Amino acid sequence: MTEQFKTDVDLGLSAFPKHLSSKYFYDDIGSEIFRKIMEMPEYYLTDAEFEIMSLHGKQILRSLDFKSEFDVIELGAGDGVKTLQLLSNFKAVREDFTFVPIDISQKAIDVLEENVLKELPGLEVKSQQGDYFDVLEQFPPDTPNLILFLGSNIGNYQLEKAKSLLTHLYALMKEGDKLLIGFDLQKNPITVRQAYDDPHGITKAFNMNLLHRINKELDADFRLDKFDFYCHYNPLNGEVKSYLVSLTKQDVHIGALKKTFRFNHNELIWTELSKKFTIREVQELCESTGFDLKANFLDCKHYFVDSLWCK
C-alpha cells in the first residue's frame, strides 16, 4: 500500500488542479472518524440504509433464490452495523451461509468481528483484509455469492471509473451470483449539504486526517492549521465535491518523495466525490455494466436504494 500511496500522492499533488484519492481516508484513524460521521443525526444515509435492511431483509433473502449454502461477501465492510441487521434477518430464516467481510483496515475488521460475535453468535465469519478484487479472485467456484457493496460507496467514483469497477466485478462473479449495491438518491439539496458539511466538524476532521496520514506515512510537513475544509453540492448533476483549501501560500515537503509541493493562497485539493443518483441512473448503470436489475429496495422517505443485481 505504501508504494501505491506514494505514487498516488505524487501524481495527485503534481496535477492541476491538485487532488487526492478518497480511498486513502480509511486508515485506522480515518475509519474511526467515519464511524462518528455515521452516528451524526445529519448523516441520513446510515439510518436510511439501516431501515432498508430492517424492513426488507427477509424479502432480499427470498429474492436471492439460493437453493444451497452461500457466502455473503461485503466489500469495504467497515463496522458492519447495517450489515448485521441484514444478516440477522437472514439468520432468522436460514443458517447455511458464511459472512466474508473484506476491508482495507484491520481495525475495522476487528471491530466488526467483535460485533458479530456479540450480536450473532454462531454465525460463521471468515474476515479478509486487503483489496476487494485480490480477495475475490481467491474464492472457490462452487459456492453462490451475494456480494454487498453498501453505503453508496459507488458514488465515490466518477462515472467511467464506476463502470470500470462494476465491469471488473461482473467478470469475477459466477453465473447466478448476486450484487446488492447501495445508491444515495437525489433529494432536497439542503438535506444533502448538511450531511456533508456538518456543524460538528467531523467531516472536516475526516478530510484533514488525510494530510495527517501523509505526514505520518510519507514523512511530510503539512501544517494542518494552514488548511481548511470546503464542500459543495450541485443538485443539477447530483455531485457533492469535497476539498481541502490552502489558507496561505506555502511549500510542503514530502520526505518519502524527496519533493516539495507549492500551494497558492486559496488553492484547492479535491479529496472526494459523493454522487447522488436518480433511479433511472441506477438502471442505466446496471445495464451498461452487464447486470440484470432484479429488485430495488427503498427506505420510507426514498432517500436511499439498495439495488439487487444479477449476473
Side-chain angles (χ1 to χ4, degrees), residues 228-240:
D228 207 345
F229 168 73
Y230 170 75
C231 86
H232 168 71
Y233 176 53
N234 181 349
L236 300 180
N237 63 12
E239 291 183 353
V240 178

Side-chain angles (χ1 to χ4, degrees), residues 6 27 47 57 69 103 117 122 129 154 156 161 163 196 199 203-204 208 215 219 222 234 271 305:
K6 282 171 57 177
D27 63 349
D47 288 343
E69 63 182 47
D103 202 281
L117 183 64
Q129 181 189 14
I154 195 64
N156 296 139
K161 180 66 176 176
K163 287 183 177 180
Y196 287 86
T203 307
K204 175 181 176 178
M208 297 292 278
N215 282 349
D219 188 27
F222 277 102
N234 181 349
T271 56
V305 61

Side-chain angles (χ1 to χ4, degrees), residues 71-77 99-106 109 126-141 145 147 168-169 172-174:
D71 290 331
V72 179
I73 303 169
E74 183 166 17
L75 311 183
F99 178 43
V100 186
I102 304 171
D103 202 281
I104 201 69
S105 168
Q106 183 61 50
I109 288 175
K126 295 182 179 179
S127 303
Q128 301 281 342
Q129 181 189 14
D131 177 84
Y132 305 153
F133 298 124
D134 291 344
V135 175
L136 283 174
E137 288 174 351
Q138 302 168 17
F139 274 81
N145 298 317
I147 296 175
H168 188 184
L169 184 57
L172 290 174
M173 292 169 62
K174 305 183 299 296

Side-chain angles (χ1 to χ4, degrees), residues 42-182:
E42 297 84 1
Y43 195 74
Y44 59 83
L45 293 87
T46 304
D47 288 343
E49 197 168 25
F50 187 86
E51 180 186 313
I52 292 169
M53 300 305 171
S54 301
L55 297 180
H56 301 296
K58 292 178 182 177
Q59 185 182 353
I60 292 170
L61 178 62
R62 288 194 297 270
S63 298
L64 299 179
D65 198 29
F66 288 155
K67 304 302 184 185
S68 60
E69 63 182 47
F70 62 97
D71 290 331
V72 179
I73 303 169
E74 183 166 17
L75 311 183
D79 64 3
V81 171
K82 296 168 294 185
T83 311
L84 280 173
Q85 187 63 30
L86 179 68
L87 298 177
S88 178
N89 274 308
F90 282 12
K91 200 168 186 291
V93 179
R94 296 178 60 169
E95 296 196 358
D96 58 340
F97 65 92
T98 299
F99 178 43
V100 186
I102 304 171
D103 202 281
I104 201 69
S105 168
Q106 183 61 50
K107 184 174 182 180
I109 288 175
D110 292 342
V111 170
L112 175 57
E113 286 184 343
E114 182 179 343
N115 290 340
V116 171
L117 183 64
K118 181 171 64 176
E119 300 295 332
L120 297 172
L123 177 64
E124 186 174 3
V125 181
K126 295 182 179 179
S127 303
Q128 301 281 342
Q129 181 189 14
D131 177 84
Y132 305 153
F133 298 124
D134 291 344
V135 175
L136 283 174
E137 288 174 351
Q138 302 168 17
F139 274 81
D142 54 345
T143 304
N145 298 317
L146 168 64
I147 296 175
L148 305 178
F149 196 41
L150 305 179
S152 196
N153 287 328
I154 195 64
N156 296 139
Y157 298 91
Q158 296 183 68
L159 180 59
E160 290 309 312
K161 180 66 176 176
K163 287 183 177 180
S164 175
L165 184 151
L166 291 169
T167 301
H168 188 184
L169 184 57
Y170 180 89
L172 290 174
M173 292 169 62
K174 305 183 299 296
E175 290 296 325
D177 282 355
K178 307 293 194 303
L179 171 66
L180 187 66
I181 179 170

